[in-house]
Amino acid sequence: QLQLQESGPGLVKPSETLSLTCTVSGASISSYTYYWDWIRQPPGKGLEWIGGIYYSGSTYDNPSLKSRVTISVDTSKNQFSLRLTSVTAADTAVYYCVTDYWSGHPYFDYWGQGTLVTVSS
Amino acid sequence: DIQMTQSPSSLSASVGDRVTITCRASHSIASYLNWYQQKPGKAPKLLIYAASSLQSGVPSRFSGSGSGTDFTLTISSLLPEDFATYYCQQSYSNPRTFGQGTKVEIK
């Protein structure tokens, strides 16, 4: 069974960089059928897609984040990572890593449990 | 970006009720529409993909329909475990976008 687990600091200071890692188990991150994505959810609010990466390193992201996002993959560790620079309080959210099944009609089928990141001094 | 608008934002219903949630896209998205269920403190769970295909393991009381810009999620007979927030999401184009959510509460 495919499983995803987010890890990283739960508290980040304003203007600094948020860094999270997602460890994939039960499947190879080099799978042909998945992109590996990040989605976030501010407390009490809706879901926002951040972006994703293919095992080859090809990425796509949400223009609303104004080029603050970097997503990378480490196939040797079966992990992918998110960096979000110049964070503000508006970046406080639960961050989920998810599988993006992209063949045919894409959908997000496996989700990590989520990790709350608070931006505060 | 394609905007997704759900209605209603919340509803109160009783166990056994038939519940319908609608989702409207700002542009045609063919059948590139997915539905998720989220319970408090938990990650969302995929219910329906490609507008009407039931994800493996999801009970058959859940169904989806629609194409183009208008879609519906129907729960044929509400069970206690169905009280949750439901989101639609388009996968027609990037950036992927979600509706604002519909909270289904106990009457």
Side-chain angles (χ1 to χ4, degrees):
Chain A
Q1 174 77 341
L2 193 155
Q3 292 184 315
L4 304 161
Q5 179 66 57
E6 306 90 352
S7 59
L11 181 64
V12 181
K13 290 182 168 57
S15 81
E16 295 191 345
T17 296
L18 179 160
S19 295
L20 295 174
T21 296
C22 182
T23 300
V24 179
S25 59
S28 170
I29 205 164
S30 300
S31 166
Y32 294 139
T33 53
Y34 283 123
Y35 266 76
W36 306 90
D37 288 21
W38 292 95
I39 291 171
R40 70 180 182 178
Q41 184 172 36
K45 297 188 177 180
L47 298 158
E48 180 182 30
W49 176 75
I50 298 171
I53 190 165
Y54 196 52
Y55 76 94
S56 62
S58 173
T59 60
Y60 54 176
D61 56 50
N62 194 331
S64 71
L65 292 165
K66 296 182 174 60
S67 301
R68 296 191 293 132
V69 170
T70 301
I71 299 174
S72 58
V73 64
D74 187 335
T75 55
S76 67
K77 294 182 179 179
N78 227 37
Q79 295 177 333
F80 63 107
S81 299
L82 169 70
R83 291 182 73 249
L84 180 65
T85 61
S86 305
V87 297
T88 70
D91 295 310
T92 293
V94 174
Y95 286 76
Y96 296 101
C97 56
V98 305
T99 56
D100 182 356
Y101 182 78
W102 65 272
S103 182
H105 288 75
Y107 50 79
F108 304 121
D109 53 350
Y110 292 95
W111 296 64
Q113 64 184 25
T115 187
L116 174 63
V117 179
T118 301
V119 178
S120 175
S121 55
Chain B
D1 298 5
I2 296 176
Q3 307 302 316
M4 307 301 293
T5 304
Q6 290 180 231
S7 60
S9 295
S10 65
L11 65 90
S12 295
S14 300
V15 172
D17 284 354
R18 181 182 181 89
V19 168
T20 298
I21 298 168
T22 65
C23 178
R24 175 164 288 177
S26 61
H27 301 86
S28 176
I29 57 170
S31 61
Y32 289 83
L33 191 283
N34 307 314
W35 290 99
Y36 301 85
Q37 175 195 65
Q38 187 178 33
K39 296 181 179 179
K42 300 293 186 182
K45 171 188 172 183
L46 176 68
L47 298 176
I48 302 283
Y49 64 93
S52 61
S53 295
L54 196 65
Q55 171 70 344
S56 175
V58 174
S60 59
R61 64 181 181 275
F62 291 93
S63 64
S65 65
S67 67
T69 60
D70 294 311
F71 302 86
T72 60
L73 172 70
T74 299
I75 309 172
S76 60
S77 180
L78 206 61
L79 294 184
E81 58 262 38
D82 300 334
F83 292 96
T85 300
Y86 294 84
Y87 293 93
C88 62
Q89 175 253 324
Q90 65 82 18
S91 58
Y92 181 81
S93 67
N94 291 333
R96 312 286 184 84
T97 47
F98 292 84
Q100 81 279 15
T102 295
K103 187 173 184 179
V104 177
E105 298 175 299
I106 302 172
K107 183 182 285 185

